[in-house]
């Protein structure tokens, strides 16, 4: 069987309108704009309004990506949504998206790999296209992190935001599109970043809610150390797989968790910051949505030129990480 080349045919993203600035947070918890900017680079984040959910964000990003790619919903063979904040435990957000956009010919499922989720979903979608059995796949990263954030915990409340990004995958010209992918996991670090309750081990109860166990818990320092190390390594490994080196990078599109993590990764790769796509200042950490939002914004701003080597790299709870190299263009 001849292997197809997988291209990104279009991108789209959506962030909710409601803004929470660092100054707003400083009125709610013991923190300050100066501290948050200095330690994270974040200035504000978007959050959903009442009644808005991950599905709404995902649909808006998907519709923009379809339009950008010139692909109709009926042409889609699969929808994959990376999320840890689905509308409900099941059905999947992907099934709900399928109904909303009218993708009657698509299989649909969600993927859980937290902030590395988009890269995991991109890899999964790419495999479908490689085989030649699937022609068009919609991959979405969508999160409503505000729903699982403990707004009274200053360690985490300052970091997260809501949003969605999407890409349409399809066959492309050889030499273009996804050149290599790399995924990794280390479950021994599962306690470092998690939502302890709400699953089958600790189902939601009044006691669980009173102890705030249905919100994110994080060991920030340990996650920081892991992130700095893995970002550089994962970028180098995926470049090697594509027979490329860091010198070939036109742009790095990293997971937007913390500006200091991004700067450290860039330093390890000897990459000047003007080759790094950064929007963490505007949106905070939107988990699985962060890479596709950054990718879409950079693409729409005209940053990427035909033939550019773009490296995406993400890390997150699990622990998980993933990276991908794309030659931009069709
Ligand atoms: O997608 C993956 C998701 N997670 C991450 O990427 C998180 C990675 N980690 C981080 O980004 C950083 O560890 C944080 C931003 C969470 C924390 O920054 P830090 O530079 O590691 O600060 P720290 O936790 O070492 O705390 C330093 C000080 C402490 O005070 P003392 O003990 O030195 O007196 C904290 O209590 O800053 C204090 N602090 C704060 N002060 C003001 C912690 N949070 C805040 C806050 N505002 N929000």
């Amino acid at each position: 069987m001849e292997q197809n080349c997988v291209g990104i045919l279009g991108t789209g993203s959506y962030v909710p309108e409601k803004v929470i600035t660092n100054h707003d947070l400083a009125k709610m918890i013991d923190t300050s704009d100066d501290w948050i900017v200095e330690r994270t680079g974040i200035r504000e984040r978007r959050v959903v309004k009442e009644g808005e959910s991950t599905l709404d964000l995902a649909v808006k990003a998907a519709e923009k990506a379809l339009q950008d790619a010139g692909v109709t919903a009926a042409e889609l063979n699969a929808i994959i949504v990376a999320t840890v904040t689905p509308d409900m435990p099941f059905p999947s957000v992907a099934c709900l998206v399928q109904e909303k956009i009218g993708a009657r010919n698509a299989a649909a499922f969600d993927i859980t790999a937290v902030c590395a989720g988009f890269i995991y979903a991109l890899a999964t979608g790419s495999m479908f296209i490689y085989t030649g059995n699937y022609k068009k796949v919609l991959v979405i990263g969508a999160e409503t992190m505000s729903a699982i954030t403990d707004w009274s915990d200053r360690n985490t409340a300052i970091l997260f935001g809501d949003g969605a990004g999407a890409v349409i995958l399809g066959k492309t010209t050889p030499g273009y599109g996804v050149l290599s992918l790399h995924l990794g996991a280390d479950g021994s670090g599962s306690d470092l970043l998690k939502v302890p309750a709400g699953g089958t081990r600790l189902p939601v109860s009044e006691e669980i809610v009173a102890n705030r166990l249905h919100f994110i818990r994080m060991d920030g320092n340990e996650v920081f150390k892991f992130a700095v190390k893995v970002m550089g390594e994962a970028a180098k490994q995926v470049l090697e797989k594509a027979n490329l080196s860091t010198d070939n990078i036109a742009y790095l599109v990293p997971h937007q968790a913390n500006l200091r993590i991004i700067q450290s990764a860039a330093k390890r790769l000897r990459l000047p910051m003007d080759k790094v796509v950064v929007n963490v200042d505007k949106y905070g950490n939107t988990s699985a949505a962060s890479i596709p939002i950054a990718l879409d914004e950079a693409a729409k701003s005209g940053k990427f030129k035909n033939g550019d080597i773009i490296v995406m790299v993400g890390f997150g709870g699990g622990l998980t990480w993933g990276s991908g190299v794309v030659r931009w263009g069709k």
Side-chain angles (χ1 to χ4, degrees):
M1 184 169 55
E2 195 185 318
Q3 193 174 292
N4 283 326
C5 294
V6 183
I8 294 179
L9 307 184
T11 63
S13 64
Y14 178 78
V15 290
E17 280 165 23
K18 191 173 164 192
V19 177
I20 296 188
T21 66
N22 292 347
H23 297 288
D24 296 330
L25 282 177
K27 289 178 203 149
M28 297 155 55
I29 44 176
D30 181 15
T31 190
S32 66
D33 177 56
D34 285 348
W35 192 96
I36 302 171
V37 172
E38 192 191 312
R39 302 290 177 122
T40 71
I42 300 167
R43 292 181 183 277
E44 57 187 46
R45 68 286 294 141
R46 302 297 182 97
V47 296
V48 293
K49 61 178 185 235
E50 216 182 315
E52 208 174 15
S53 70
T54 300
L55 170 65
D56 303 312
L57 309 181
V59 165
K60 288 191 171 113
E63 283 170 345
K64 289 184 188 182
L66 283 168
Q67 195 182 18
D68 190 40
V71 168
T72 64
E75 286 177 76
L76 294 173
N77 306 118
I79 300 172
I80 308 172
V81 178
T83 188
V84 290
T85 50
D87 284 41
M88 55 196 100
F90 72 86
S92 64
V93 176
C95 279
L96 305 176
V97 170
Q98 187 228 25
E99 196 270 328
K100 283 270 183 211
I101 65 172
R104 56 185 178 278
N105 301 311
F109 59 96
D110 289 358
I111 277 186
T112 304
V114 201
C115 305
F118 176 74
I119 304 290
Y120 268 69
L122 179 74
T124 309
S126 296
M127 300 308 155
F128 280 115
I129 307 282
Y130 282 141
T131 66
N133 290 330
Y134 287 70
K135 305 286 179 225
K136 301 281 187 302
V137 175
L138 165 61
V139 175
I140 307 172
E143 303 280 17
T144 306
M145 298 302 282
S146 59
I148 57 167
T149 297
D150 183 346
W151 291 98
S152 67
D153 172 16
R154 71 175 184 173
N155 291 311
T156 51
I158 57 159
L159 294 176
F160 298 101
D162 304 338
V167 298
I168 308 294
L169 300 179
K171 196 176 165 182
T172 194
T173 316
Y176 281 89
V178 179
L179 304 183
S180 63
L181 292 156
H182 172 75
L183 303 177
D186 178 7
S188 71
S190 58
D191 277 337
L192 298 180
L193 180 53
K194 65 179 178 182
V195 175
T200 52
R201 183 172 296 272
L202 293 174
V204 172
S205 65
E206 276 178 29
E207 196 190 340
I208 291 288
V209 173
N211 289 320
R212 312 184 81 74
L213 291 170
H214 57 306
F215 291 131
I216 299 169
R217 296 278 175 102
M218 181 182 75
D219 181 337
N221 289 311
E222 286 304 313
V223 174
F224 192 100
K225 280 188 246 164
F226 152 72
V228 167
K229 189 165 162 280
V230 84
M231 291 266 274
E233 280 173 9
K236 280 185 188 156
Q237 274 165 319
V238 80
L239 279 162
E240 257 170 48
K241 278 190 189 174
N243 291 321
L244 295 169
S245 77
T246 51
D247 296 339
N248 299 107
I249 300 177
Y251 287 101
L252 178 73
V253 184
H255 170 46
Q256 309 284 317
N258 180 323
L259 183 60
R260 286 192 296 139
I261 295 175
I262 295 173
Q263 286 168 332
S264 306
K267 203 170 161 194
R268 281 178 180 227
L269 295 168
R270 296 206 176 83
L271 209 60
M273 282 305 286
D274 60 359
K275 288 189 167 189
V276 183
V277 178
V278 176
N279 64 10
V280 70
D281 51 322
K282 295 190 291 180
Y283 308 134
N285 180 348
T286 57
S287 186
S290 94
I291 292 176
I293 293 174
L295 188 77
D296 178 53
E297 287 194 346
K300 298 280 164 62
S301 74
K303 251 194 173 95
F304 302 158
K305 301 285 176 280
N306 191 49
D308 272 357
I309 294 295
I310 314 294
V311 175
M312 294 173 272
V313 56
F315 65 90
L319 300 166
T320 53
W321 58 92
S323 46
V325 177
V326 170
R327 188 185 300 279
W328 200 253
K330 303 176 196 172

